[in-house]
C-alpha cells in the first residue's frame, strides 16, 4: 500500500496557518546549502532488496549515490528495505521525495540521521535503541505506515511529522517536541492505536506547543511512560495547553514520572486527562490563592481547550504537584454502586441466574471507555467524591458467606471504596461482575479502591456474567491500592510480543450462514474425532464407527482410495445422519489417497512430513488435479465438508515471503471458493507463531483446526503462545467460525507397542507397551487440555483428545469419548473467561474451572 504523500501534504498545508511563511523560511535556508541540483538520482535500481548505507560517497547526503551499497538511490522503481547500521551518519539537506514506491527505513543502534528537508518513507520507519533522528528547520517527514521508535527523535519548531498508521514508542524511546509550531500527526490514513511507553518531552515555545494528534485511540504505559515539560521559554501566562489529542485513552502517566520545570514561581500547573486529550492547565497564584490539592471528584464543566492558552481559569484547583492520583478517578459514575453484602446459601461457584440463550447478534460497541486516570466531564450536579460504604464495621469484613455483585452500567462502574479492611474481604465467597448493560467496549474499569488489596483472592471465585457476544477479552489486575477490570477487543493483539503486535493487522468477516455447520449442545463437553487404520490389514468395526457417529459432532477421514473413504463416511452417516464428516486433504504431501489419476511428474524434489512425497506447486496441472479431486469427493452425499492440512509454506517462515500470495496459498483459496457454499470448509489455518496468525484464511473458510498452541516463537515470552492461540480461537468463535481444538499432548501410535521399553520415546512411556489402559496418565493429560479448551469454547467449538489417531490397536488410544469428563453435564457458560497473569477462570452451569497455562495446574468444581 503506497501512502499518498501529495494528498497528505495538501492536508497539512490547510491545517498549518503559518505554512506560507514556513515555505519561505525553507527557501531561505536552502541558500546556505550545497546545490541540491548537483545530485543525480539515476535509474539503476532493478530489484526488491535490502540496501545498506555505506557512507562512502563525497559527503553524508542521502541523495549521494556513492553512499549506498549498490551505487543507486533506494526506492526509485522497486520496494527496498533501507538499513542504517550501527554508528552510520547520514543527512537529508535536500528533499528526498523522489521515491516512486514505498520503502522502509531501519536505523540501528548508534545510527544518526539529521533531516533538514523533506523525506518520504513510504513504508515503516523503525528506529532502534541508541539511534538518533533529528528533524530540524521546516522539514516534513512523511511515514507511509507506522513509526516504531526505540530511539531518540527530536522535532524542531515549524517541522512536521506525519504518520499514516500508528506511532509506537518503546520504553527506551524519547520523543522531544520543540517549540509551538510543530506538527505531529498519526493515523492519517487508517485509524490505529498509538502507544507511548517511553519519554514524551516538550520544550514549550512562547505560546505553548504545536499540534500532536494521534487521530485514534492511545495507550499510555503507566509503568514506564514519562512526561517531561520544559516551560522556560513559555510567556503566555495562565491558560490551557493541549499536549496530545486522541479519540480515547487507556492508561496514564504516573504522577512520579511527570516532571515540569521552568515555570515562573507565580504560576501553578496541573496535568489533566480527558476523554479527547491530555491538557496542561496553567493558572496564577493571584486567581487561585489556595494550594489545597485537587479533590478526587471528576472534573466538572471543563472549558474547551486549545493548543495555545485560552486565558480562561480552570475549574479545578491547580496544584504544584505534577498530576492527580492515577488510580482514583472512576470511569463513569452510576447512581448507586452496589457492594452490599448479600446473604447467600449458594456455593462459591454460583449456578445460573436466568442465563439467556447465546445470541449470535453482536452488540455494537460505543467509543472505548477511558482509563481510570481519565476524569470524565459530566453535567450532573457536582459529586462529592468516590462513594464510600456507609459506616463500615471496625473490621470492614462482611459477616457470613457473602456474594458481592458488581453491576456495570453502559460505560463502566463507580469504584467501591473502603478505607479500612481488605478488598475483596476474606469471607467474600464470590465476586460477580454483571455486564448485561455494558456497551463501553475496550478500556479499564476500576472496581475497588482500598487500603489493602487481597491479591491472593482465588480467581475461581470471580465470576463474569452476561457479557455474551460482545467480542471482548477480559483480564483483572490486582494493583497496590485498587483492582481493575481490563477489557480489550478480541481483534486487538497489541499487548503481545512485538512481532505479533505488528503483523496481526486487519480483520476478517464473520460467517454469514451456519446452516451447514455441525450440531452443537452445551449438555456435555463438545468433541470431534480423527482416526486412521492400515486398511490393508484391518477393517473398521461397526462399534468403532458407531462411536464416531454418536459420541462426536464431527470427524475427518481421507486415508485410502476414494471408494474406501466414501464407504466409511456412508457407514458413519448410517448411524447418525447429523454427524458431520469431512474429507481429509493434505496440501503439502501426496498422502491419503490412491487410484485417482495422479501423475508422478507432479512430485517435487525432497520430502515432507513422514518422508512423504511433496507436491510441485509450480505445475498448474497438479494444482488443477488437487482442486478437482477434493471437489469430486465432497460432492458425495455422505461427505459434508473438506479439511485442508499442511497449509503453511516453509519458505515464507520469518517473513521470507508473503504467505497469503504464495502459489500454495492461492491453490487452497481457489478450492475454498470453488466448493459449494453449503460445503463445510475447515483447515489447519490459524497459527499464532506465524506473521499475522494466518488470519487471512478465515475470510473465505468456515473455521480452523488448532495444534501446537503452546509453541512460542523467537523472543516471544515463554507462555504467551498458548494465550495468543486462545485469543485467536475466541475471535474465530465470536465471528461464527468452527473451532477444532486439539487437546492431545502426545502422539503415541500403536507401533511403539512392539518396541523394547528402553526404546519407547520419552513422551510415550506409560502409554505404550502396557497391558491396561493408563487411566491416571490419561486423566492428567485430559485435565490440562480441558482447562484450556473450556476457556475458549463457544458455539461451534469442539475438542479432540486422544493419545494418537491410530485405530489399529486399543480403542482408548484414539477414541476417549468414554471418559467420565465427557459424559458429565456442562451447561451454558455464565460468562467469558477471566485472565490474571497466566491463570484463567470461567464458570458454567455445572462446572467452575481454573487453569494456569504456565504451571498447567487445573481446578475443576462440578456442581
Amino acid at each position: 500500500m503506497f501512502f499518498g504523500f501529495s494528498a497528505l501534504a495538501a492536508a497539512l498545508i490547510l491545517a498549518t496557518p503559518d505554512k506560507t511563511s514556513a515555505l519561505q523560511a525553507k527557501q531561505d535556508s536552502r541558500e546556505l546549502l550545497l546545490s541540491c541540483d548537483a545530485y543525480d538520482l539515476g535509474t539503476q535500481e532493478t530489484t526488491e532488496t535490502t540496501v545498506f548505507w555505506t557512507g562512502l560517497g563525497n559527503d553524508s547526503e542521502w541523495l549521494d549515490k556513492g553512499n549506498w551499497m549498490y551505487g543507486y538511490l533506494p526506492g526509485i522503481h522497486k520496494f527496498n528495505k533501507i538499513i542504517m547500521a550501527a554508528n552510520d551518519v547520514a543527512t537529508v539537506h535536500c528533499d528526498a521525495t523522489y521515491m516512486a514506491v514505498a520503502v522502509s527505513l531501519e536505523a540501528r543502534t548508534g545510527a544518526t540521521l539529521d533531516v533538514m528537508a523533506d523525506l518520504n518513507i513510504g513504508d515503516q520507519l523503525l528506529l532502534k535503541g541508541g539511534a538518533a533522528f533529528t528533524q530540524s528547520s521546516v522539514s516534513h517527514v512523511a511515514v507511509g505506515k507506522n513509526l516504531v521508535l526505540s530511539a531518540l527523535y527530536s522535532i524542531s519548531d515549524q517541522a512536521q511529522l506525519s504518520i499514516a498508521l500508528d506511532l509506537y514508542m518503546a520504553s527506551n524511546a524519547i520523543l522531544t517536541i520543540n517549540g509551538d509550531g510543530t506538527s505531529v500527526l498519526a493515523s492519517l490514513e487508517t485509524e490505529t492505536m498509538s502507544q507511548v511507553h517511553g519519554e514524551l518531552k516538550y520544550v514549550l515555545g512562547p505560546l505553548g506547543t504545536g499540534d500532536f494528534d494521534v487521530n485514534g485511540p492511545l495507550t499510555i504505559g503507566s509503568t514506564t511512560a514519562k512526561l517531561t515539560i520544559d516551560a522556560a521559554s513559555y510567556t503566555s501566562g495562565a491558560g490551557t495547553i493541549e499536549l496530545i489529542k486522541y479519540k480515547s485513552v487507556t492508561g496514564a502517566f504516573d504522577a512520579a514520572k511527570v516532571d515540569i520545570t521552568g515555570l515562573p514561581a507565580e504560576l501553578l500547573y496541573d496535568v489533566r486527562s480527558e476523554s479527547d486529550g491530555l491538557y496542561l492547565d496553567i493558572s496564577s497564584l493571584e486567581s487561585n490563592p489556595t494550594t489545597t490539592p485537587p479533590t478526587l471528584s471528576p472534573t466538572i464543566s471543563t472549558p474547551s481547550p486549545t493548543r495555545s492558552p485560552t486565558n480562561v481559569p480552570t475549574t479545578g484547583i491547580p496544584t504544584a504537584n505534577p498530576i492527580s492520583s492515577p488510580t482514583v478517578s472512576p470511569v463513569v459514575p452510576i447512581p448507586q454502586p452496589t457492594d452490599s453484602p448479600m446473604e447467600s446459601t449458594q456455593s462459591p461457584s454460583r449456578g445460573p441466574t436466568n442465563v439467556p440463550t447465546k445470541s449470535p447478534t453482536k452488540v455494537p460497541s460505543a467509543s472505548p471507555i477511558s482509563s481510570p486516570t481519565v476524569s470524565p466531564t459530566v453535567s450532573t450536579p457536582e459529586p462529592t467524591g468516590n462513594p464510600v460504604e456507609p459506616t463500615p464495621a471496625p473490621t470492614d469484613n462482611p459477616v457470613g458467606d457473602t456474594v458481592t455483585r458488581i453491576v456495570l452500567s453502559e460505560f463502566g462502574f463507580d469504584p467501591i471504596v473502603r478505607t479500612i479492611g481488605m478488598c475483596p474481604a476474606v469471607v467474600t465467597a464470590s465476586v460477580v461482575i454483571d455486564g448485561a448493560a455494558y456497551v463501553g467496549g475496550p478500556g479499564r474499569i476500576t472496581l475497588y479502591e482500598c487500603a489493602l488489596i487481597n491479591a491472593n483472592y482465588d480467581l475461581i471465585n470471580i465470576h463474569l456474567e452476561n457479557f455474551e457476544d460482545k467480542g471482548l477479552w477480559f483480564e483483572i489486575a490486582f494493583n497496590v491500592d485498587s483492582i481493575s477490570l481490563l477489557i480489550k477487543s478480541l481483534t486487538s493483539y497489541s499487548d503481545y510480543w512485538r512481532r505479533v503486535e505488528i503483523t496481526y493487522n486487519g480483520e476478517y468477516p464473520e460467517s454469514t450462514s451456519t446452516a451447514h455447520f455441525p450440531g452443537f449442545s452445551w449438555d456435555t463437553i463438545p468433541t470431534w474425532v480423527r482416526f486412521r487404520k492400515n486398511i490393508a490389514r484391518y477393517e473398521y468395526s461397526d462399534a468403532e464407527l458407531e462411536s464416531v457417529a454418536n459420541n462426536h459432532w464431527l470427524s475427518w477421514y481421507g486415508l485410502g482410495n476414494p471408494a474406501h473413504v466414501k464407504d466409511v463416511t456412508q457407514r458413519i452417516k448410517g448411524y447418525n445422519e447429523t454427524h458431520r464428516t469431512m474429507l481429509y486433504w493434505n496440501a503439502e504431501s501426496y498422502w491419503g489417497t490412491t487410484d485417482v489419476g495422479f501423475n508422478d511428474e507432479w512430485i517435487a524434489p525432497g520430502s515432507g512430513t513422514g518422508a512423504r512425497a511433496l507436491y510441485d506447486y509450480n505445475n498448474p496441472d497438479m494444482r488443477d488435479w488437487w482442486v478437482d479431486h477434493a471437489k469430486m469427493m465432497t460432492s458425495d452425499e455422505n461427505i459434508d465438508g473438506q479439511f485442508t492440512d499442511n497449509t503453511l509454506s516453509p519458505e515464507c517462515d520469518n517473513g521470507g515471503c508473503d504467505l497469503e500470495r504464495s502459489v500454495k496459498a492461492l491453490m487452497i483459496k481457489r478450492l475454498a471458493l470453488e466448493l459449494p457454499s453449503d460445503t463445510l470448509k475447515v483447515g489447519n489455518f490459524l497459527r499464532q507463531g506465524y506473521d499475522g496468525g494466518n488470519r487471512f484464511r478465515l475470510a473465505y473458510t468456515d473455521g480452523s483446526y488448532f495444534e501446537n498452541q503452546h509453541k512460542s516463537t523467537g523472543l516471544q515470552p515463554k507462555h504467551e503462545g498458548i494465550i495468543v492461540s486462545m485469543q485467536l480461537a475466541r475471535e474465530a468463535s465470536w465471528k461464527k467460525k468452527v473451532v477444532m481444538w486439539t487437546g492431545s499432548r502426545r502422539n503415541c501410535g500403536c507401533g511403539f507397542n512392539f518396541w523394547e521399553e528402553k526404546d519407547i520415546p520419552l513422551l510415550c512411556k506409560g502409554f505404550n507397551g502396557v497391558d491396561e489402559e493408563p487411566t491416571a496418565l490419561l486423566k492428567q493429560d485430559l485435565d490440562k487440555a480441558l482447562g484450556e479448551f473450556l476457556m475458549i469454547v463457544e458455539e461451534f467449538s469442539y475438542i479432540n483428545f486422544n493419545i494418537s489417531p491410530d485405530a489399529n490397536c486399543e480403542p482408548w488410544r484414539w477414541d476417549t469419548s468414554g471418559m467420565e469428563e465427557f459424559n458429565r453435564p456442562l451447561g451454558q457458560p455464565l460468562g467469558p473467561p477471566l485472565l490474571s497473569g497466566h491463570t484463567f477462570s470461567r464458570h458454567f452451569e455445572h462446572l467452575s474451572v481454573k487453569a494456569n497455562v504456565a504451571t498447567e495446574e487445573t481446578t475443576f468444581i462440578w456442581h
Side-chain angles (χ1 to χ4, degrees), residues 226 467 813:
K226 182 178 181 181
F467 283 91
R813 192 171 298 279

Side-chain angles (χ1 to χ4, degrees), residues 128-145:
K128 295 192 173 182
F133 192 112
T134 303
Q135 189 181 344
S136 57
S137 186
V138 287
S139 58
H140 176 202
V141 173
V143 182
K145 286 191 176 178

